[in-house]
Each structure stands twice: as C-alpha cells, then as structure tokens.
C-alpha cells in the first residue's frame, strides 16, 4: 500500500507493506548524494534499480574496504536493498534497457554531469518529453542552474563551498591545535546531506504527481549543506563573522574527563543553575556576579577552567548520567565500536543484516527512522553487478 495521495487516509492493516511499496525508482549514481537518496527510498519500500554503466558504478570501487578482497564498505551501505541493471548508454541496447525502466518508473535520480546529459538523452526537456509522468531528480554538486552548474565537486569542495570548513576545527580542537588549517568532516557529510534533501524533494514531487504530472527537481548538494550551516549565515546578518578561532561556546563545549571526552551545552539560565548543582555548588560558581548571563559570557574562559578541573576527576559515564538527571545537556564522545555495541542501538535495531553477492552476511547501518505499523527490513541484499540481466520487463 504505497504512501500516495490516491491511497485512502486510513491506518494500514496488519501485515501492510512499507510506505513506498509500489514506487519504482531508477538511480544513476556516481556520487554518495544520489546513491544515498536511492538508499533512503529503498529502505522505505521502493523498488530501486541502479542503472549502472559497463563495469559498474564507481562507488563499487570506493574506499573504505570491508576486507582485503576489495569489497567496498561504502557501496555495501549505499547499495543495500537495491537491484542492479547495466545500462551502457554508449550502446543502443543499453539505452533501450534504460528507456524500458524509465517507462515503468515513478522517480529518476540522476547525477550525470550537466554537460553530458544532452548527448545521453538525459537532459530535463528530453526526459520530460519521453516520460511526462516521471519525477526527474537531478543531484549535482552546485545544482543544474547558475554559473557553477557545470562545475565538478568532491566532498572536500562541497564542505568548504558551504562554509562549514571555515569553522573547523573550533572550540577545544582549535585550542589544542591552533596551527591546523581548515578541515573537512570525516567521511561523506556533504554527500549525505545532499542525499537526504534529494529524498525529501523527490517524495514531495511524487506526492503531487497525480495532480501536476511529472516534474524536474533540481537539487544542489552545496545548497543542502548551506541549509545545515545556516546559523553561521544568520549570525553574519547580525554583524558577527564566525571563524574557527572564535566559534565556540563562551562556556561549555568539549571537555576531557578522566576516561574520555564529552560535550556540554549550557545556553539557558536553567541549564547554568543545573550545571552548578552538578558541580556540587562550588564557591566560585555562587559568586553573585555570575547570575548575569552576560558576565558569564565575558568570563567564559575562567568558567571553563573550573569545569575542566572538575571533569578531569570524574568518569564520562558518571558525568553524563548525573547531567541527564539534572537537566544539563551533555553527551559522551563515543567510538564506532561503542555505538555498534550499544544497548540503546541494539534495542532500536540500528543495524540490519546485509547479504553480499558472495554469500557473506555483514551488519549494515539502517536508516535514521522507523515506522510503527510497517517495520523496516531486518535483512537486505547488496546486488551483484547486472543481476537483473535477462529479466523480462513486467
């Protein structure tokens, strides 16, 4: 029972399919952003066909590796729950295969460079003329319009183009390593943000398809990351230029405890008073002048010095437990191993079993949401290249 305006607005019956059951998606993805959009749609029940070039998507050969045999852990994550069909657009047969899939599809996700689309028959007007029903989602580094529409962009470019790199490292990291240059966030932060935005845009356009017909959706990965870091732009409007050397909490932030690190956030008066209680009401914190938030901001370095001395004497888990009980926003910096073994994450089913083409099963991170009436799949498959070859069009 697909989540679509043509469906009755009734609770799903027992055993109902996932919300996007019946939705068909064709994905042409070279980048994390486009592939992650397909991954999210597949997790919600859509049938997602990766229309791969001859030799397969470059993501199949992207690090990090799952093992010494060259299996891409990144592709295992992004390809889980999809199917694979080689559509070599340099050949008539490949184009015909793609056209057959598009004729049945509801959504096309494509990150083909803008300059290459016309020759492949994938420009917006040509796709709309052949498939007027289709929601065509373009996912490009800088979008499909504007002076940078033809620009390429890798993760590091997009993170810095969105302004986030200008702010990293900051806080304690900058204090410890003041001479470090601007940094990027580890992994594919920008790509995942672009993929999440593309997913929401695709669903919004598909929701209106019965009324408006198909349409072209232009997603810019840079724009998606600008939205994530919009607070810095807002501050600029207030006349404050944030920089990695100055962007930090006046008091609070990252602290080293006896056995690890945690982050503390104290933006409101009630959180300050709870912090004082957590620190066992030390004399320095009871000074009348510190009742004034502006005075606390002016004396942030002094306050943080006291907090650091206290933190260094206590274990992270003990600090976080006490902070939570008092209403002080605090969280432990956890290692990937701690996340994977966490009781909370196990209870929420954070990982599913992914069946690889060679028969192995490995845990794979699921998506950051759940459905009460239609549980996510506990097991998913990672497709072998061109596994759909020879299948007759249904």
């Amino acid at each position: 029972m697909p989540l679509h305006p043509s469906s009755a607005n009734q609770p799903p019956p027992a055993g109902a399919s996932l919300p996007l059951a019946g939705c068909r998606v064709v994905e042409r993805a070279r980048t994390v952003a486009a592939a992650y959009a397909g991954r999210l749609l597949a997790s919600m029940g859509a049938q997602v066909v990766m229309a791969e070039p001859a030799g397969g998507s470059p993501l199949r050969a992207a690090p990090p590796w799952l093992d010494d045999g060259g299996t891409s852990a990144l592709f295992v994550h992004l390809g889980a729950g999809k199917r694979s069909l080689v559509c070599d657009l340099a050949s008539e047969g490949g184009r015909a295969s793609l056209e057959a899939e598009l004729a049945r599809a509801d959504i096309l996700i494509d990150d083909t460079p803008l300059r290459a689309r016309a020759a492949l028959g994938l420009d917006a007007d040509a796709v709309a003329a052949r498939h007027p029903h289709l929601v065509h989602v373009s996912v490009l580094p800088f979008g499909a319009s504007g002076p940078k529409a033809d620009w390429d962009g890798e993760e590091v470019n997009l993170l810095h183009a969105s302004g986030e790199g200008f702010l990293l490292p900051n806080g304690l990291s900058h204090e410890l390593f003041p001479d470090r240059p601007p940094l990027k966030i580890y992994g594919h932060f920008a790509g995942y943000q672009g993929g999440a935005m593309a997913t929401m845009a695709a669903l919004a356009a598909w929701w209106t398809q019965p009324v408006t017909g198909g349409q072209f959706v232009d997603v810019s990965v840079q724009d998606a990351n600008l939205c994530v870091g919009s607070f810095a732009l807002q501050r600029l409007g207030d006349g404050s230029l944030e920089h990695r050397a100055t962007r930090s909490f006046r008091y609070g932030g990252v602290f080293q405890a006896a056995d690890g690190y945690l982050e503390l956030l104290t933006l409101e008066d009630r959180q300050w008073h709870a912090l004082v209680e957590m620190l066992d009401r030390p004399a320095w914190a009871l000074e009348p002048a510190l009742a004034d938030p502006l005075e606390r901001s002016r004396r942030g370095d002094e306050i943080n010095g006291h907090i650091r001395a206290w933190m260094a004497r206590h274990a992270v888990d003990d600090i976080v437990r006490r902070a939570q009980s008092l209403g002080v926003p605090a969280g432990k910096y956890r290692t990937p191993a701690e996340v994977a073994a966490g009781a909370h994450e196990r209870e929420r089913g954070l990982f599913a079993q992914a069946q690889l083409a060679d028969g192995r099963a490995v845990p794979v991170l699921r998506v950051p949401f759940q459905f009460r009436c239609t549980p996510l799949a506990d097991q998913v498959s990672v497709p072998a290249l061109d596994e759909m070859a020879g299948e007759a069009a249904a």
Side-chain angles (χ1 to χ4, degrees):
M1 184 174 64
L3 180 65
H4 204 267
S6 59
S7 302
N9 187 22
Q10 298 293 330
S17 301
L18 282 164
L20 295 189
C23 177
R24 299 180 67 93
V25 179
V26 173
E27 172 201 298
R28 279 180 48 83
R30 304 170 302 113
T31 63
V32 168
Y36 188 56
R39 170 78 154 86
L40 291 175
L41 294 173
S43 297
M44 289 185 270
Q47 180 177 356
V48 178
V49 175
M50 296 184 298
E52 300 192 67
S57 165
L59 293 170
R60 288 183 179 270
W65 309 110
L66 191 64
D67 51 33
D68 294 334
T71 303
S72 168
L74 180 64
F75 180 77
V76 168
H77 172 59
L78 295 173
K82 303 177 184 178
R83 305 208 64 201
S84 170
L85 178 67
V86 169
C87 298
D88 182 2
L89 299 190
S91 69
E92 290 187 10
R95 291 199 181 200
S97 295
L98 179 61
E99 284 300 296
E101 290 300 322
L102 293 180
R104 312 189 281 166
D106 300 292
I107 299 170
L108 165 64
I109 300 171
D110 185 26
D111 63 5
T112 301
L114 195 64
R115 59 186 172 276
R117 290 183 178 182
L120 298 174
L122 290 173
D123 55 293
D125 291 341
V127 171
R130 299 194 310 272
H131 307 287
H133 70 287
L134 196 62
V135 172
H136 180 181
V137 183
S138 166
V139 186
L140 292 174
F142 299 97
S145 63
K148 295 182 181 178
D150 249 336
W151 285 25
D152 292 325
E154 298 296 334
E155 176 72 19
V156 65
N157 309 120
L158 292 165
L159 197 73
H160 287 290
S162 69
E164 194 64 24
F166 185 70
L167 304 173
L168 298 172
N170 59 55
L172 178 61
S173 297
H174 183 74
E175 291 178 31
L176 294 174
F177 309 104
D179 297 327
R180 285 191 177 181
L183 301 179
K184 69 175 280 294
I185 299 171
Y186 175 78
H188 299 275
F189 178 89
Y192 286 122
Q193 297 299 328
M197 295 291 186
T199 303
M200 290 188 286
L203 290 176
W206 187 52
W207 184 260
T208 66
Q209 192 270 351
V211 177
T212 63
Q215 61 177 305
F216 181 70
V217 180
D218 178 6
V219 177
S220 160
V221 178
Q222 181 197 22
D223 290 357
N225 285 270
L226 281 168
C227 289
V228 171
S230 60
F231 185 66
L233 292 178
Q234 177 184 324
R235 293 289 304 277
L236 182 63
D238 295 336
S240 175
L241 176 62
E242 291 193 306
H243 183 267
R244 61 186 179 277
T246 59
R247 189 196 206 196
S248 63
F249 299 113
R250 293 296 175 259
Y251 56 95
V254 180
F255 294 93
Q256 184 172 10
D259 59 348
Y261 291 86
L262 73 155
E263 183 153 3
L264 181 72
L265 188 64
T266 49
L267 298 179
E268 303 174 18
D269 261 5
R270 63 181 179 85
Q271 294 165 349
W272 163 255
H273 294 305
L275 173 63
V276 171
E277 189 69 28
M278 186 183 84
L279 300 175
D280 300 318
R281 299 177 61 81
W284 66 262
L286 300 178
E287 183 183 335
L290 292 182
D292 179 3
L294 293 178
E295 180 65 14
R296 294 200 298 269
S297 292
R298 284 190 290 268
R299 294 168 60 178
D301 290 343
E302 174 192 335
I303 293 172
N304 271 355
H306 288 297
I307 297 174
R308 284 174 185 164
W310 185 88
M311 294 281 187
R313 302 194 299 269
H314 297 82
V316 171
D317 287 339
D318 293 339
I319 296 170
V320 172
R321 190 179 303 110
R322 180 161 170 76
Q324 289 289 330
S325 69
L326 293 170
V328 180
K332 178 182 180 179
Y333 273 67
R334 303 171 70 201
T335 66
E338 288 174 318
V339 173
H344 178 78
E345 290 77 13
R346 287 199 305 272
E347 175 68 22
R348 288 185 57 80
L350 186 63
F351 294 91
Q353 286 296 310
Q355 190 78 25
L356 306 187
D358 62 10
R360 288 179 295 165
V362 297
V364 63
L365 190 67
R366 293 210 286 194
V367 287
F369 48 77
Q370 296 183 3
F371 301 108
R372 176 173 295 178
C373 299
T374 52
L376 299 173
D378 291 324
Q379 297 187 352
V380 290
S381 297
V382 179
L385 179 63
D386 204 23
E387 64 173 8
M388 294 176 64
E391 290 186 12

